[in-house]
Coordinates of all heavy atoms in Angstrom, one line a residue:
M1 N -69.8 -22.9 28.7 CA -71.1 -23.2 29.3 C -71.0 -23.2 30.8 O -70.0 -23.7 31.4 CB -71.7 -24.5 28.8 CG -73.0 -24.7 29.2 SD -73.9 -26.1 28.4 CE -72.7 -27.2 28.0
A2 N -71.9 -22.7 31.5 CA -72.0 -22.7 32.9 C -71.9 -24.1 33.5 O -72.3 -25.1 32.9 CB -73.2 -22.0 33.4
C3 N -71.4 -24.2 34.7 CA -71.3 -25.5 35.4 C -72.7 -26.1 35.6 O -73.7 -25.4 35.9 CB -70.7 -25.2 36.8 SG -70.6 -26.7 37.8
L4 N -72.8 -27.4 35.4 CA -74.1 -28.0 35.5 C -74.8 -27.9 36.9 O -76.0 -28.0 37.0 CB -74.0 -29.5 35.1 CG -73.8 -29.9 33.7 CD1 -73.7 -31.3 33.5 CD2 -75.0 -29.3 32.8
S5 N -73.9 -27.6 37.9 CA -74.5 -27.5 39.2 C -75.3 -26.2 39.3 O -76.2 -26.1 40.2 CB -73.4 -27.5 40.3 OG -72.6 -26.3 40.2
S6 N -75.2 -25.3 38.4 CA -76.1 -24.1 38.4 C -77.5 -24.4 37.9 O -78.3 -23.5 38.0 CB -75.4 -23.0 37.5 OG -75.5 -23.4 36.1
R7 N -77.8 -25.6 37.6 CA -79.1 -26.0 37.1 C -80.0 -26.4 38.3 O -81.2 -26.7 38.1 CB -79.1 -27.1 36.1 CG -78.1 -27.0 35.0 CD -78.3 -25.7 34.2 NE -77.6 -25.8 32.9 CZ -76.3 -25.5 32.6 NH1 -75.6 -24.9 33.6 NH2 -75.8 -25.6 31.5
F8 N -79.5 -26.4 39.5 CA -80.2 -26.8 40.7 C -80.5 -25.7 41.7 O -79.7 -24.8 41.8 CB -79.4 -27.9 41.4 CG -79.1 -29.1 40.6 CD1 -78.0 -29.2 39.7 CD2 -79.9 -30.2 40.7 CE1 -77.8 -30.3 38.9 CE2 -79.7 -31.4 39.9 CZ -78.6 -31.4 39.0
P9 N -81.6 -25.8 42.4 CA -81.9 -24.8 43.4 C -80.9 -24.9 44.5 O -80.4 -26.0 44.8 CB -83.3 -25.2 43.9 CG -83.9 -26.0 42.9 CD -82.7 -26.8 42.2
Y10 N -80.6 -23.7 45.1 CA -79.7 -23.7 46.3 C -80.2 -24.7 47.4 O -81.4 -24.7 47.6 CB -79.6 -22.3 46.9 CG -78.8 -21.4 46.0 CD1 -79.4 -20.4 45.3 CD2 -77.4 -21.6 45.8 CE1 -78.7 -19.5 44.5 CE2 -76.7 -20.8 45.0 CZ -77.3 -19.7 44.3 OH -76.6 -18.9 43.5
G11 N -79.3 -25.4 48.0 CA -79.7 -26.3 49.1 C -80.0 -27.7 48.6 O -80.1 -28.6 49.4
D12 N -80.2 -27.9 47.3 CA -80.5 -29.3 46.8 C -79.2 -30.1 46.9 O -78.1 -29.5 46.6 CB -81.0 -29.2 45.4 CG -82.4 -29.1 45.3 OD1 -83.1 -28.7 46.2 OD2 -83.0 -29.4 44.2
Q13 N -79.3 -31.3 47.2 CA -78.2 -32.2 47.2 C -77.9 -32.6 45.7 O -78.8 -33.0 45.0 CB -78.4 -33.5 48.0 CG -77.2 -34.4 48.0 CD -77.5 -35.7 48.8 OE1 -78.6 -35.9 49.3 NE2 -76.4 -36.4 49.0
I14 N -76.7 -32.3 45.3 CA -76.3 -32.6 43.9 C -75.6 -33.9 43.8 O -74.6 -34.1 44.6 CB -75.5 -31.4 43.3 CG1 -76.3 -30.1 43.3 CG2 -75.1 -31.8 41.9 CD1 -75.6 -28.9 42.9
T15 N -76.1 -34.8 43.0 CA -75.4 -36.1 42.9 C -75.0 -36.3 41.4 O -75.4 -35.6 40.5 CB -76.4 -37.2 43.2 OG1 -77.5 -37.3 42.2 CG2 -77.0 -37.1 44.6
V16 N -74.2 -37.3 41.2 CA -73.7 -37.6 39.9 C -74.9 -38.0 39.0 O -75.0 -37.6 37.8 CB -72.6 -38.8 39.9 CG1 -72.3 -39.2 38.5 CG2 -71.4 -38.3 40.6
S17 N -75.8 -38.7 39.6 CA -77.0 -39.1 38.8 C -77.8 -37.9 38.3 O -78.3 -37.9 37.2 CB -77.9 -40.1 39.7 OG -79.1 -40.4 39.1
K18 N -78.0 -37.0 39.2 CA -78.8 -35.8 38.9 C -78.0 -34.9 37.8 O -78.6 -34.4 36.9 CB -79.1 -34.9 40.1 CG -80.1 -35.5 41.0 CD -80.2 -34.6 42.2 CE -81.2 -35.2 43.3 NZ -81.3 -34.2 44.5
L19 N -76.7 -34.8 38.0 CA -75.9 -34.1 37.0 C -76.0 -34.7 35.6 O -76.2 -34.1 34.6 CB -74.5 -34.0 37.4 CG -74.2 -33.0 38.6 CD1 -72.8 -33.3 39.1 CD2 -74.4 -31.6 38.2
S20 N -76.0 -36.1 35.6 CA -76.1 -36.8 34.4 C -77.4 -36.6 33.7 O -77.5 -36.5 32.5 CB -75.8 -38.3 34.6 OG -76.1 -39.0 33.5
Q21 N -78.5 -36.6 34.5 CA -79.8 -36.4 34.0 C -79.9 -35.0 33.3 O -80.4 -34.9 32.2 CB -80.8 -36.5 35.2 CG -82.2 -36.5 34.8 CD -83.1 -36.7 36.0 OE1 -82.7 -36.6 37.2 NE2 -84.4 -36.9 35.8
V22 N -79.4 -34.0 33.9 CA -79.4 -32.6 33.3 C -78.6 -32.6 32.1 O -79.0 -32.1 31.0 CB -78.9 -31.6 34.3 CG1 -78.7 -30.2 33.6 CG2 -79.9 -31.4 35.4
E23 N -77.4 -33.2 32.2 CA -76.5 -33.2 31.0 C -77.2 -33.9 29.8 O -77.1 -33.4 28.6 CB -75.2 -33.9 31.3 CG -74.2 -33.9 30.2 CD -72.9 -34.5 30.6 OE1 -72.9 -35.5 31.3 OE2 -71.9 -33.9 30.2
R24 N -77.8 -35.1 30.0 CA -78.4 -35.8 29.0 C -79.6 -35.0 28.3 O -79.8 -35.0 27.1 CB -78.9 -37.2 29.5 CG -77.7 -38.1 29.7 CD -78.0 -39.4 30.5 NE -79.2 -40.0 30.1 CZ -80.0 -40.6 30.9 NH1 -79.7 -40.7 32.2 NH2 -81.1 -41.2 30.6
A25 N -80.4 -34.4 29.2 CA -81.5 -33.6 28.7 C -81.0 -32.4 27.8 O -81.5 -32.2 26.7 CB -82.3 -33.0 29.9
E26 N -80.0 -31.7 28.3 CA -79.5 -30.6 27.5 C -78.8 -31.0 26.2 O -78.9 -30.4 25.2 CB -78.5 -29.7 28.4 CG -79.2 -28.9 29.4 CD -78.3 -27.9 30.1 OE1 -77.1 -27.7 29.7 OE2 -78.8 -27.3 31.0
E27 N -78.1 -32.2 26.3 CA -77.4 -32.7 25.1 C -78.5 -33.0 24.0 O -78.3 -32.8 22.8 CB -76.6 -33.9 25.4 CG -75.3 -33.6 26.1 CD -74.3 -32.8 25.3 OE1 -74.1 -33.2 24.1 OE2 -73.8 -31.8 25.8
F28 N -79.6 -33.7 24.4 CA -80.6 -34.0 23.5 C -81.2 -32.7 22.9 O -81.3 -32.6 21.6 CB -81.8 -34.7 24.3 CG -83.0 -34.9 23.5 CD1 -83.1 -35.7 22.4 CD2 -84.2 -34.1 23.8 CE1 -84.3 -35.8 21.6 CE2 -85.3 -34.2 23.0 CZ -85.4 -35.1 22.0
L29 N -81.5 -31.7 23.7 CA -82.1 -30.5 23.1 C -81.1 -29.7 22.2 O -81.5 -29.2 21.2 CB -82.5 -29.6 24.3 CG -83.7 -30.1 25.1 CD1 -83.9 -29.3 26.4 CD2 -85.0 -30.0 24.3
R30 N -79.8 -29.7 22.6 CA -78.8 -29.0 21.9 C -78.4 -29.7 20.6 O -78.4 -29.3 19.5 CB -77.7 -28.7 22.8 CG -76.6 -27.7 22.2 CD -75.6 -27.3 23.2 NE -76.2 -26.4 24.2 CZ -76.4 -26.7 25.5 NH1 -76.1 -27.9 26.0 NH2 -76.9 -25.8 26.3
R31 N -77.9 -31.0 20.8 CA -77.3 -31.7 19.7 C -78.3 -32.4 18.7 O -78.1 -32.3 17.5 CB -76.3 -32.7 20.2 CG -75.1 -32.1 20.8 CD -74.1 -33.1 21.2 NE -73.1 -32.4 22.0 CZ -71.8 -32.6 21.9 NH1 -71.4 -33.6 21.2 NH2 -70.9 -32.0 22.7
E32 N -79.3 -33.0 19.3 CA -80.2 -33.7 18.5 C -81.3 -32.8 17.9 O -81.7 -33.0 16.8 CB -80.9 -34.9 19.2 CG -79.9 -36.0 19.6 CD -80.6 -37.2 20.2 OE1 -81.7 -37.6 19.8 OE2 -79.9 -37.8 21.1
L33 N -81.7 -31.8 18.6 CA -82.8 -30.9 18.1 C -82.3 -29.6 17.7 O -83.1 -28.8 17.1 CB -83.9 -30.8 19.2 CG -84.5 -32.1 19.7 CD1 -85.6 -31.8 20.7 CD2 -85.1 -32.9 18.5
G34 N -81.1 -29.2 18.0 CA -80.5 -28.0 17.4 C -80.8 -26.7 18.2 O -80.6 -25.6 17.6
F35 N -81.4 -26.8 19.4 CA -81.6 -25.5 20.2 C -80.2 -25.0 20.6 O -79.3 -25.7 21.0 CB -82.5 -25.8 21.4 CG -83.9 -26.1 21.0 CD1 -84.4 -27.4 21.0 CD2 -84.8 -25.1 20.6 CE1 -85.7 -27.7 20.6 CE2 -86.1 -25.3 20.2 CZ -86.5 -26.6 20.3
R36 N -80.1 -23.7 20.5 CA -78.8 -23.1 20.9 C -78.7 -22.5 22.3 O -77.9 -22.8 23.0 CB -78.4 -22.0 19.9 CG -78.1 -22.6 18.5 CD -77.8 -21.5 17.5 NE -79.0 -20.7 17.3 CZ -79.0 -19.4 17.0 NH1 -77.9 -18.8 16.8 NH2 -80.1 -18.7 17.0
D37 N -79.7 -21.6 22.6 CA -79.7 -21.0 23.9 C -80.7 -21.9 24.8 O -81.9 -21.7 24.7 CB -80.3 -19.6 23.8 CG -79.3 -18.7 23.1 OD1 -78.1 -18.9 23.2 OD2 -79.8 -17.7 22.4
V38 N -80.1 -22.8 25.5 CA -81.0 -23.8 26.3 C -80.3 -24.1 27.6 O -79.1 -24.2 27.7 CB -81.2 -25.1 25.4 CG1 -80.0 -25.8 25.1 CG2 -82.2 -25.9 26.1
R39 N -81.2 -24.2 28.6 CA -80.8 -24.7 29.9 C -82.0 -25.6 30.4 O -83.1 -25.3 30.1 CB -80.6 -23.6 31.0 CG -79.4 -22.7 30.8 CD -78.2 -23.4 31.1 NE -77.0 -22.5 31.1 CZ -76.3 -22.2 30.1 NH1 -76.5 -22.8 28.9 NH2 -75.2 -21.4 30.1
V40 N -81.6 -26.7 31.1 CA -82.6 -27.5 31.8 C -82.4 -27.3 33.2 O -81.3 -27.7 33.7 CB -82.6 -29.0 31.3 CG1 -83.6 -29.8 32.2 CG2 -82.8 -29.1 29.9
R41 N -83.4 -26.7 33.9 CA -83.3 -26.5 35.4 C -84.0 -27.7 36.0 O -85.1 -28.1 35.6 CB -84.0 -25.2 35.7 CG -83.5 -23.9 35.0 CD -82.0 -23.6 35.2 NE -81.7 -22.4 34.5 CZ -80.5 -21.9 34.6 NH1 -79.5 -22.4 35.3 NH2 -80.2 -20.8 33.9
H42 N -83.3 -28.2 37.0 CA -83.7 -29.5 37.7 C -84.4 -29.2 38.9 O -83.9 -28.5 39.9 CB -82.4 -30.3 38.0 CG -82.7 -31.6 38.6 ND1 -82.9 -32.8 37.8 CD2 -82.9 -32.0 39.9 CE1 -83.1 -33.8 38.6 NE2 -83.2 -33.4 39.9
H43 N -85.7 -29.6 39.0 CA -86.5 -29.4 40.2 C -87.1 -30.7 40.5 O -88.3 -31.0 40.3 CB -87.7 -28.4 39.9 CG -87.2 -27.0 39.6 ND1 -86.8 -26.1 40.5 CD2 -87.0 -26.4 38.4 CE1 -86.4 -24.9 39.9 NE2 -86.5 -25.1 38.6
D44 N -86.3 -31.7 41.0 CA -86.7 -33.0 41.4 C -87.3 -33.8 40.2 O -86.5 -34.1 39.3 CB -87.6 -33.0 42.6 CG -87.8 -34.3 43.2 OD1 -86.9 -35.1 43.1 OD2 -88.9 -34.6 43.8
T45 N -88.6 -33.9 40.1 CA -89.2 -34.6 39.0 C -89.6 -33.7 37.8 O -90.1 -34.2 36.8 CB -90.5 -35.4 39.5 OG1 -91.4 -34.4 39.9 CG2 -90.1 -36.4 40.6
I46 N -89.3 -32.4 38.0 CA -89.7 -31.4 37.0 C -88.4 -30.9 36.2 O -87.4 -30.5 36.8 CB -90.4 -30.2 37.6 CG1 -91.6 -30.6 38.3 CG2 -90.7 -29.1 36.6 CD1 -92.2 -29.6 39.2
A47 N -88.5 -31.0 34.9 CA -87.5 -30.3 34.1 C -88.1 -29.0 33.6 O -89.1 -29.0 32.9 CB -87.1 -31.2 32.9
R48 N -87.4 -27.9 34.0 CA -87.9 -26.6 33.5 C -86.9 -26.1 32.4 O -85.8 -25.8 32.6 CB -87.9 -25.6 34.7 CG -88.3 -24.2 34.3 CD -88.5 -23.3 35.5 NE -87.4 -23.2 36.4 CZ -86.4 -22.3 36.3 NH1 -86.4 -21.4 35.4 NH2 -85.4 -22.3 37.2
I49 N -87.5 -26.1 31.2 CA -86.6 -25.8 30.0 C -86.6 -24.3 29.8 O -87.7 -23.7 29.7 CB -87.2 -26.5 28.8 CG1 -87.2 -28.0 29.0 CG2 -86.4 -26.1 27.5 CD1 -87.9 -28.8 27.9
E50 N -85.5 -23.7 29.7 CA -85.3 -22.3 29.3 C -84.7 -22.3 27.9 O -83.7 -22.9 27.7 CB -84.4 -21.6 30.3 CG -84.9 -21.4 31.7 CD -83.9 -20.7 32.6 OE1 -82.8 -20.2 32.1 OE2 -84.2 -20.6 33.8
L51 N -85.4 -21.6 27.0 CA -84.9 -21.4 25.7 C -84.9 -19.9 25.4 O -85.5 -19.1 25.9 CB -85.9 -22.0 24.7 CG -86.1 -23.5 24.7 CD1 -87.2 -23.9 23.8 CD2 -84.8 -24.2 24.3
G52 N -84.0 -19.6 24.4 CA -84.0 -18.2 23.9 C -85.4 -17.9 23.3 O -86.0 -18.8 22.7
P53 N -85.9 -16.7 23.5 CA -87.2 -16.3 23.0 C -87.5 -16.6 21.6 O -88.5 -17.1 21.2 CB -87.3 -14.8 23.3 CG -86.3 -14.6 24.4 CD -85.2 -15.6 24.2
Q54 N -86.4 -16.5 20.7 CA -86.6 -16.8 19.3 C -86.7 -18.3 19.0 O -87.1 -18.6 17.9 CB -85.4 -16.2 18.5 CG -84.1 -16.9 18.8 CD -83.4 -16.6 20.1 OE1 -83.9 -15.8 20.9 NE2 -82.2 -17.2 20.3
E55 N -86.5 -19.1 20.0 CA -86.5 -20.6 19.8 C -87.8 -21.2 20.4 O -88.0 -22.4 20.1 CB -85.3 -21.3 20.4 CG -84.0 -20.9 19.7 CD -82.8 -21.6 20.2 OE1 -82.5 -21.4 21.4 OE2 -82.2 -22.4 19.4
M56 N -88.5 -20.5 21.2 CA -89.6 -21.0 21.9 C -90.7 -21.6 21.0 O -91.2 -22.7 21.2 CB -90.3 -20.0 22.8 CG -89.5 -19.8 24.1 SD -90.4 -18.7 25.2 CE -89.2 -18.3 26.4
G57 N -91.0 -20.9 19.9 CA -92.1 -21.3 19.0 C -91.7 -22.6 18.3 O -92.6 -23.4 18.1
R58 N -90.4 -22.9 18.1 CA -90.0 -24.1 17.4 C -90.3 -25.3 18.2 O -90.6 -26.4 17.7 CB -88.5 -24.0 17.0 CG -88.1 -25.2 16.1 CD -86.8 -24.9 15.5 NE -85.7 -24.9 16.4 CZ -85.0 -26.0 16.7 NH1 -85.4 -27.2 16.2 NH2 -84.0 -26.0 17.5
L59 N -90.3 -25.1 19.6 CA -90.5 -26.2 20.5 C -92.0 -26.7 20.3 O -92.3 -27.9 20.5 CB -90.3 -25.9 21.9 CG -90.5 -27.0 23.0 CD1 -89.4 -28.0 22.8 CD2 -90.5 -26.4 24.4
L60 N -92.9 -25.9 19.9 CA -94.3 -26.2 19.8 C -94.7 -26.6 18.4 O -95.9 -27.0 18.2 CB -95.1 -25.0 20.2 CG -94.8 -24.5 21.7 CD1 -95.6 -23.3 22.0 CD2 -95.1 -25.6 22.7
E61 N -93.8 -26.6 17.4 CA -94.1 -27.0 16.0 C -94.1 -28.5 15.8 O -93.3 -29.2 16.4 CB -93.1 -26.3 15.1 CG -93.1 -24.8 15.0 CD -92.0 -24.2 14.2 OE1 -91.1 -25.0 13.7 OE2 -92.0 -23.0 14.0
G62 N -95.1 -28.9 15.0 CA -95.1 -30.3 14.6 C -95.1 -31.3 15.8 O -95.8 -31.1 16.8
D63 N -94.2 -32.3 15.6 CA -94.1 -33.3 16.7 C -93.0 -33.0 17.7 O -92.6 -33.8 18.6 CB -93.9 -34.6 16.1 CG -92.5 -34.9 15.5 OD1 -91.8 -33.9 15.2 OD2 -92.1 -36.0 15.3
M64 N -92.4 -31.7 17.6 CA -91.2 -31.4 18.5 C -91.6 -31.5 20.0 O -90.9 -32.1 20.7 CB -90.8 -30.0 18.1 CG -89.5 -29.6 18.9 SD -88.0 -30.4 18.3 CE -87.8 -29.5 16.8
R65 N -92.7 -31.0 20.3 CA -93.1 -31.0 21.8 C -93.2 -32.4 22.3 O -92.7 -32.8 23.3 CB -94.4 -30.3 22.0 CG -94.9 -30.2 23.4 CD -96.3 -29.5 23.5 NE -97.3 -30.1 22.7 CZ -98.1 -31.2 23.0 NH1 -97.9 -31.7 24.2 NH2 -98.9 -31.7 22.2
A66 N -93.9 -33.3 21.5 CA -94.0 -34.7 21.9 C -92.7 -35.4 22.0 O -92.5 -36.2 22.9 CB -94.9 -35.4 20.9
R67 N -91.8 -35.1 21.1 CA -90.4 -35.7 21.1 C -89.7 -35.2 22.4 O -89.0 -36.1 23.0 CB -89.6 -35.2 19.9 CG -90.0 -35.9 18.6 CD -89.3 -35.4 17.4 NE -87.9 -35.7 17.5 CZ -86.9 -35.2 16.8 NH1 -87.2 -34.3 15.9 NH2 -85.7 -35.6 16.9
V68 N -89.8 -34.0 22.7 CA -89.1 -33.5 24.0 C -89.7 -34.1 25.2 O -89.0 -34.6 26.0 CB -89.2 -31.9 24.0 CG1 -88.7 -31.4 25.4 CG2 -88.4 -31.3 22.9
V69 N -91.0 -34.2 25.3 CA -91.7 -34.8 26.5 C -91.2 -36.3 26.6 O -90.8 -36.7 27.6 CB -93.2 -34.6 26.4 CG1 -93.9 -35.5 27.4 CG2 -93.6 -33.2 26.5
S70 N -91.3 -37.0 25.5 CA -91.0 -38.4 25.5 C -89.6 -38.6 25.9 O -89.3 -39.5 26.8 CB -91.2 -39.0 24.1 OG -90.9 -40.3 24.1
R71 N -88.6 -37.9 25.4 CA -87.2 -38.1 25.7 C -86.9 -37.7 27.1 O -86.2 -38.4 27.8 CB -86.3 -37.4 24.7 CG -84.8 -37.6 24.9 CD -84.5 -39.0 24.6 NE -83.0 -39.2 24.8 CZ -82.5 -40.0 25.8 NH1 -83.3 -40.8 26.4 NH2 -81.3 -40.1 25.9
L72 N -87.4 -36.6 27.5 CA -87.1 -36.2 28.9 C -87.7 -37.1 29.9 O -87.1 -37.3 31.0 CB -87.4 -34.7 29.1 CG -86.3 -33.7 28.8 CD1 -85.7 -33.8 27.4 CD2 -86.6 -32.3 29.2
Q73 N -88.8 -37.7 29.6 CA -89.4 -38.7 30.5 C -88.6 -39.9 30.5 O -88.4 -40.5 31.6 CB -90.9 -39.0 30.1 CG -91.8 -37.9 30.5 CD -93.3 -38.1 30.1 OE1 -93.5 -38.8 29.2 NE2 -94.2 -37.4 30.8
E74 N -88.0 -40.3 29.4 CA -87.1 -41.5 29.3 C -85.9 -41.2 30.2 O -85.4 -42.1 30.9 CB -86.6 -41.7 27.9 CG -87.6 -42.3 27.0 CD -87.2 -42.4 25.6 OE1 -86.0 -42.2 25.3 OE2 -88.0 -42.7 24.7
I75 N -85.4 -39.9 30.2 CA -84.2 -39.6 31.0 C -84.6 -39.6 32.5 O -83.7 -39.7 33.3 CB -83.8 -38.2 30.5 CG1 -83.1 -38.3 29.1 CG2 -82.8 -37.5 31.5 CD1 -82.8 -37.0 28.5
G76 N -85.9 -39.5 32.9 CA -86.2 -39.6 34.3 C -87.1 -38.5 34.8 O -87.4 -38.5 36.1
Y77 N -87.5 -37.5 34.1 CA -88.3 -36.4 34.5 C -89.8 -36.9 34.4 O -90.2 -37.5 33.4 CB -88.1 -35.1 33.8 CG -86.8 -34.5 34.1 CD1 -85.7 -34.6 33.2 CD2 -86.5 -33.9 35.3 CE1 -84.5 -34.1 33.5 CE2 -85.3 -33.3 35.6 CZ -84.3 -33.4 34.7 OH -83.0 -32.9 35.0
T78 N -90.6 -36.5 35.3 CA -92.1 -36.8 35.2 C -92.8 -35.7 34.5 O -93.7 -35.9 33.7 CB -92.6 -37.0 36.6 OG1 -91.9 -38.0 37.3 CG2 -94.1 -37.4 36.6
Y79 N -92.4 -34.4 34.8 CA -93.1 -33.3 34.3 C -92.1 -32.4 33.5 O -90.9 -32.2 34.0 CB -93.7 -32.4 35.4 CG -94.6 -33.2 36.3 CD1 -94.2 -33.6 37.5 CD2 -95.9 -33.5 35.8 CE1 -95.1 -34.3 38.3 CE2 -96.8 -34.2 36.6 CZ -96.4 -34.6 37.9 OH -97.2 -35.4 38.7
I80 N -92.4 -31.9 32.3 CA -91.6 -31.1 31.5 C -92.3 -29.8 31.3 O -93.4 -29.8 30.8 CB -91.2 -31.9 30.2 CG1 -90.4 -33.1 30.4 CG2 -90.5 -30.9 29.3 CD1 -91.1 -34.3 30.9
T81 N -91.6 -28.7 31.6 CA -92.2 -27.4 31.5 C -91.3 -26.5 30.6 O -90.1 -26.7 30.5 CB -92.4 -26.7 32.9 OG1 -91.1 -26.4 33.4 CG2 -93.2 -27.6 33.8
L82 N -91.9 -25.5 30.0 CA -91.2 -24.5 29.3 C -91.3 -23.2 30.1 O -92.5 -22.7 30.4 CB -91.8 -24.3 27.9 CG -91.2 -23.1 27.1 CD1 -89.8 -23.3 26.8 CD2 -92.0 -23.0 25.7
D83 N -90.2 -22.6 30.5 CA -90.2 -21.4 31.2 C -90.5 -20.2 30.3 O -89.7 -19.9 29.4 CB -88.8 -21.2 31.9 CG -88.8 -20.0 32.9 OD1 -89.4 -19.0 32.6 OD2 -88.1 -20.1 33.9
L84 N -91.6 -19.6 30.4 CA -92.0 -18.5 29.5 C -91.1 -17.2 29.6 O -91.2 -16.4 28.7 CB -93.5 -18.1 29.7 CG -94.5 -19.3 29.5 CD1 -95.9 -18.8 29.7 CD2 -94.3 -19.8 28.0
A85 N -90.4 -17.1 30.7 CA -89.4 -16.0 30.8 C -88.2 -16.2 29.9 O -87.5 -15.2 29.6 CB -89.0 -15.8 32.2
G86 N -88.0 -17.4 29.4 CA -86.9 -17.7 28.5 C -85.6 -17.9 29.2 O -85.5 -17.9 30.4
F87 N -84.6 -18.1 28.3 CA -83.2 -18.4 28.8 C -82.7 -17.2 29.5 O -82.7 -16.0 29.0 CB -82.4 -18.7 27.6 CG -80.9 -18.9 27.9 CD1 -80.4 -20.1 28.5 CD2 -80.0 -17.8 27.8 CE1 -79.1 -20.2 28.8 CE2 -78.7 -17.9 28.1 CZ -78.2 -19.1 28.6
R88 N -82.1 -17.4 30.7 CA -81.4 -16.3 31.4 C -80.4 -16.9 32.3 O -80.7 -17.8 33.1 CB -82.3 -15.4 32.1 CG -83.3 -15.9 32.9 CD -84.7 -15.2 33.0 NE -85.4 -15.8 34.1 CZ -86.0 -17.0 34.0 NH1 -86.1 -17.6 32.9 NH2 -86.6 -17.5 35.0
S89 N -79.1 -16.5 32.1 CA -78.1 -17.0 33.0 C -78.3 -16.5 34.4 O -78.8 -15.4 34.7 CB -76.7 -16.4 32.5 OG -76.4 -16.9 31.3
G90 N -78.1 -17.5 35.3 CA -78.3 -17.2 36.7 C -79.7 -17.1 37.2 O -80.1 -16.6 38.2
S91 N -80.6 -17.8 36.4 CA -82.1 -17.7 36.8 C -82.3 -18.3 38.2 O -83.3 -18.0 38.8 CB -83.0 -18.3 35.8 OG -82.9 -19.7 35.7
M92 N -81.5 -19.3 38.6 CA -81.7 -19.9 39.9 C -81.3 -19.0 41.0 O -81.6 -19.2 42.2 CB -80.8 -21.2 40.0 CG -81.3 -22.3 39.1 SD -83.0 -22.8 39.3 CE -82.9 -24.4 39.9
N93 N -80.7 -17.8 40.7 CA -80.4 -16.8 41.7 C -81.5 -15.8 41.9 O -81.4 -15.0 42.8 CB -79.1 -16.0 41.3 CG -77.9 -16.9 41.1 OD1 -77.8 -17.9 41.9 ND2 -77.1 -16.6 40.2
A94 N -82.5 -15.8 41.1 CA -83.6 -14.8 41.1 C -84.3 -14.9 42.4 O -84.7 -16.0 42.8 CB -84.5 -15.0 39.9
A95 N -84.6 -13.8 43.0 CA -85.4 -13.8 44.2 C -86.9 -13.7 43.9 O -87.2 -13.1 42.8 CB -85.1 -12.5 45.1
P96 N -87.8 -14.3 44.7 CA -89.2 -14.3 44.4 C -89.7 -12.8 44.3 O -89.2 -12.0 45.1 CB -89.8 -15.0 45.5 CG -88.7 -15.7 46.2 CD -87.5 -15.0 45.9
V97 N -90.6 -12.5 43.5 CA -91.2 -11.2 43.4 C -92.3 -11.1 44.4 O -93.2 -12.0 44.5 CB -91.8 -10.9 42.0 CG1 -92.5 -9.6 41.9 CG2 -90.7 -11.1 40.9
P98 N -92.3 -10.1 45.3 CA -93.3 -10.0 46.4 C -94.7 -9.7 45.8 O -94.9 -9.2 44.8 CB -92.8 -8.9 47.3 CG -91.7 -8.2 46.5 CD -91.3 -9.0 45.4

């Protein structure tokens, strides 16, 4: 698995606390909920969740969405988003589209 520091935008100060926050969020999604292709991108108070396209629908089923929001807020995020582009390695390297 890629280094957790790849979950942060370039130029952001990376701290042990922030790394722990990302790690806890990904562990919850992976181990407790069973998502396989998952990354949590850290944008200060925003957790941007990237999932494999085949797993996105499951996030919205039943009480799954509410469980994810609740737990990630407990971890310290204020806003929880699902990236509709899906899981992609190196997404923090993407240049803005003009």
